[in-house]
Amino acid sequence: MDLQSSETLQITCEEDLVRVRQATRARAVLLGLSLVNLTKIVTAASELARNTLTFGGGGTAIVATVHNGDRPGLRLIFEDHGPGITDIELAMKDGYTGGKGLGLGLGGSKRLVNEFEISSRVGEGTRVSITRWK
Amino acid sequence: MGLESNSKLVEVLGEKGRVSLNDWKEAQWAAIKIRREPITEEELYREASDFMSLFQQAVKEAFLSDIRDPVWLKMREMLSALSISRARRGFTPTEMATFVLSFKQPLFEALKQAHGTDSGALLSDVWMTTVLLDKLGLYCVEEYQKTREAIISRQQKDLLELSTPVVQLWPGVLTLPLIGTLDSERTQLVMERLLQKIVDTGSQIAIIDITGVPTVDTLVAQHLMKTIAAAHLMGAECFLSGISPQIAQTVVHLGVKFGDIVTKATLADAFGLALKRIGLVVIKKSGE
Amino acid sequence: MERIPILRMGDVLLVSIQVDMHDRLAQTLQEELAERVVKDRARGVLIDISVLEIVDSFIGRLLGRIASISRILDAETVIVGMQPAVSITLVELGISLDGVRTALNVERGMELLASSISLRTQE
């Protein structure tokens, strides 16, 4: 992975969600993503950052510019040291709620991006990486 | 790479040199005139003398066989501009390369006369200039190719625009007549344009007419459904018209649920309904 | 404290969301709207989101909740001005905003509310 330039943001309170959205948006504009693709990745960032805060008890977001050959893209990595997810397949399903009335986050976010990777260990935390190519 | 000490290249290219610009121009003009391409004799002469003087300058400054060297910058710019203009005028790559490669003949002729019986020195000069001119010729072809590719990709885009116009049928009523095979990417692009046009024109109703679409696959059907849902979120309504019997069967077979979507057999039916929705009626004038 | 202004126009309460809302601000809006619907005896709520750059599932649910709460309080909600990119994203995300009425712009939204209010008044 070629992390050309990146920034790391802390997610510890609700205001941080706004900051993650703004950082994602700024970088998407810089990359020249189309309006629809920009909207999709910022929305996905919002969903996943909220998951990190609500289910993971806080964590970090890395916003990075990446390259696949000539094609630039935007990659976001969300990490937390929360309780983790027992059944990822179930959690990815639409309508799944993590107990606090939320849901859609994971499955919906996956549809908004080109690449979606999730890894989680019970008791250790969760890591979600998403990429949207230009 | 430098020139041999007994090289006569700079000499023959000099002001009192023996390279005959006129012969070269004449030869080029004769070759091109047959095809009656849209290029004037003056234009060709100017291009040829530009090439020759840039070649002279670069060789005088430093003979380098690497044409990416800054010494050749002006030459590259000139050839690049020339390739672009010729590609647009429909010249072939061969004709483009010939412009440069044909310079060998007058140059070699001049070198032969200058070197007289010193065949070793002549061979060395000829070899060096051959390598160089070949590279310049290939550079022209590459630039030519780039221009052609840019033209093709622009035409593809134009074609997409032309093949999917969003038309206003009435204030507040848009239609998108889709024609030809729909692939997923094209459908997505077209749908984005339709939604934008809905906002721009403030249209309450959009009719997607697929009379000219021979077949749809699951992905395209889903794109249609998503567009209709997205239009609904924006406060507009989409009707689907012109569904062929084959498409109706495919859609049912694929298990795509068209749910609450308003479908009409023809664009005219859909337009009639649209007028009714915005509160208009069409009345026949009495006595006619 | 930061808040989103709620304007009144006849029977209708007007809200224009112009900032990237954090969750608490959204929650405050929901509570204030409910109170104002009752206090002003409003029959309609119009929410303009034409400058919102994204609507995620949280905001989507908020809009749905506002509509449900208002309906119980006898006021109808119309969401107006959603941008194409936002609506495409919402559909992809799987949010349909069931039970929420929509209109292209404020003008259309007011028309929609006016006709629906006069219909309900006749009942």
Side-chain angles (χ1 to χ4, degrees):
Chain A
M1 181 170 71
D2 168 28
L3 281 183
Q4 274 223 326
S5 69
S6 69
E7 56 196 301
T8 306
L9 298 111
Q10 298 297 320
I11 304 175
T12 51
C13 63
E14 281 177 9
E15 279 78 3
D16 290 337
L17 304 185
V18 177
R19 278 190 276 276
V20 170
R21 284 200 289 265
Q22 283 166 352
T24 307
R25 193 190 135 71
R27 205 167 272 261
V29 169
L30 216 65
L31 270 178
L33 288 190
S34 74
L35 181 61
V36 172
N37 287 341
L38 178 146
T39 309
K40 283 181 177 174
I41 186 116
V42 175
T43 308
S46 187
E47 297 295 323
L48 295 173
R50 183 172 284 105
N51 277 348
T52 302
L53 181 67
T54 321
F55 301 124
T60 54
I62 299 171
V63 185
T65 308
V66 288
H67 283 266
N68 179 6
D70 281 346
R71 207 173 174 201
L74 189 58
R75 178 165 295 159
L76 305 175
I77 301 165
F78 296 87
E79 261 178 307
D80 68 57
H81 299 288
I85 300 167
T86 348
D87 187 345
I88 291 184
E89 214 172 296
L90 182 69
M92 292 294 298
K93 273 190 185 152
D94 270 4
Y96 171 79
T97 70
K100 295 190 188 176
L102 301 174
L104 287 170
L106 290 177
S109 302
K110 187 179 179 180
R111 285 193 295 271
L112 296 179
V113 294
N114 300 120
E115 286 168 28
F116 184 99
E117 284 167 39
I118 181 165
S119 56
S120 184
R121 281 196 175 176
V122 176
E124 285 179 30
T126 306
R127 182 183 190 274
V128 182
S129 162
I130 56 171
T131 311
R132 179 95 220 177
W133 299 108
K134 190 184 171 181
Chain B
M1 192 164 28
L3 288 172
E4 302 282 327
S5 55
N6 54 359
S7 166
K8 299 225 187 262
L9 189 57
V10 176
E11 185 193 310
V12 300
L13 284 165
E15 275 172 34
K16 289 174 192 158
R18 307 175 203 211
V19 177
S20 169
L21 179 60
N22 255 334
D23 285 357
W24 183 40
K25 286 169 178 172
E26 290 295 346
Q28 287 220 24
W29 178 243
I32 275 168
K33 211 167 52 177
I34 305 163
R35 288 190 33 165
R36 278 176 294 160
E37 288 296 340
I39 186 169
T40 62
E41 203 168 340
E42 290 76 33
E43 224 178 330
L44 181 69
Y45 276 27
R46 205 190 58 238
E47 287 165 358
S49 72
D50 279 355
F51 177 85
M52 199 161 136
S53 68
L54 285 171
F55 193 78
Q56 270 168 350
Q57 276 172 30
V59 168
K60 222 186 276 176
E61 240 176 274
F63 186 91
L64 290 164
S65 56
D66 183 2
I67 62 161
R68 283 166 305 180
D69 191 273
V71 170
W72 291 102
L73 178 69
K74 279 194 175 147
M75 177 62 101
R76 288 202 309 270
E77 282 173 357
M78 182 256 174
L79 288 178
S80 174
L82 190 70
S83 302
I84 289 169
S85 105
R86 294 205 169 182
R88 290 207 179 119
R89 292 180 199 198
F91 280 68
T92 65
T94 305
E95 284 170 321
M96 190 57 240
T98 305
F99 172 77
V100 174
L101 299 181
S102 63
F103 188 55
K104 284 179 186 176
Q105 199 199 346
L107 189 58
F108 290 174
E109 189 57 42
L111 284 170
K112 196 172 113 190
Q113 286 175 20
H115 281 293
T117 51
D118 190 353
S119 62
L122 174 63
L123 191 64
S124 161
D125 265 356
V126 165
W127 174 245
M128 294 266 227
T129 44
T130 293
V131 169
L132 185 60
L133 286 169
D134 286 354
K135 282 182 182 170
L136 289 172
L138 285 171
Y139 177 77
C140 280
V141 174
E142 269 173 35
E143 289 298 298
Y144 172 94
Q145 191 68 23
K146 271 188 216 160
T147 310
R148 296 299 289 182
E149 274 163 19
I151 291 173
I152 290 168
S153 101
R154 200 194 62 229
Q155 283 172 340
Q156 278 176 337
K157 226 176 112 199
D158 287 352
L159 199 65
L160 183 68
E161 299 269 319
L162 284 174
S163 62
T164 48
V166 181
V167 189
Q168 189 169 41
L169 284 178
W170 199 267
V173 184
L174 293 180
T175 185
L176 170 68
L178 290 174
I179 291 161
T181 313
L182 294 172
D183 60 39
S184 171
E185 194 182 357
R186 183 178 163 217
T187 315
Q188 205 164 351
L189 260 173
V190 166
M191 295 309 163
E192 281 177 30
R193 285 185 45 220
L194 175 66
L195 296 177
Q196 190 55 50
K197 193 85 179 221
I198 288 176
V199 177
D200 295 345
T201 57
S203 298
Q204 278 164 270
I205 293 165
I207 303 166
I208 302 174
D209 182 71
I210 57 169
T211 310
V213 179
T215 165
V216 295
D217 60 18
T218 322
L219 239 98
V220 171
Q222 272 167 357
H223 275 309
L224 285 173
M225 302 290 298
K226 282 177 184 170
T227 308
I228 294 168
H232 176 74
L233 284 176
M234 289 163 49
E237 201 176 354
C238 274
F239 301 161
L240 207 51
S241 71
I243 302 173
S244 69
Q246 289 91 332
I247 290 183
Q249 290 174 57
T250 317
V251 162
V252 172
H253 183 71
L254 289 173
V256 180
K257 291 202 168 55
F258 267 37
D260 310 324
I261 290 162
V262 177
T263 53
K264 288 279 159 202
T266 65
L267 180 58
D269 291 344
F271 183 47
L273 179 66
L275 289 177
K276 212 187 262 174
R277 284 283 165 92
I278 59 173
L280 296 175
V281 278
V282 181
I283 299 168
K284 192 174 181 181
K285 252 179 157 180
S286 56
E288 280 180 29
Chain C
M1 195 187 128
E2 201 186 352
R3 58 178 5 164
I4 295 166
I6 301 170
L7 308 173
R8 191 186 152 174
M9 246 180 100
D11 287 343
V12 178
L13 293 178
L14 267 168
V15 180
S16 176
I17 302 177
Q18 309 213 340
V19 291
D20 187 352
M21 288 195 290
H22 54 75
D23 300 4
R24 204 159 2 86
L25 187 60
Q27 191 63 34
T28 313
L29 176 67
Q30 177 191 321
E31 287 159 15
E32 285 195 325
L33 259 178
E35 279 168 31
R36 285 287 295 274
V37 167
V38 174
K39 203 178 101 196
D40 296 358
R41 299 169 59 95
R43 302 298 308 276
V45 174
L46 187 140
I47 303 176
D48 178 17
I49 58 165
S50 56
V51 294
L52 268 196
E53 283 165 347
I54 69 151
V55 171
D56 59 9
S57 61
F58 184 85
I59 301 297
R61 270 192 295 269
L62 171 84
L63 296 173
R65 244 180 358 252
I66 289 176
S68 307
I69 293 167
S70 306
R71 194 169 307 117
I72 296 172
L73 300 170
D74 196 23
E76 177 138 25
T77 305
V78 178
I79 308 288
V80 307
M82 187 184 291
Q83 293 301 310
V86 174
S87 72
I88 291 171
T89 303
L90 263 187
V91 169
E92 210 69 66
L93 199 56
I95 295 172
S96 52
L97 291 183
D98 287 332
V100 179
R101 301 189 75 176
T102 52
L104 283 171
N105 48 43
V106 175
E107 202 185 339
R108 287 274 156 69
M110 289 301 272
E111 283 169 15
L112 196 66
L113 281 177
S115 68
S116 139
I117 290 168
S118 76
L119 258 178
R120 280 186 293 147
T121 315
Q122 286 164 14
E123 280 170 4

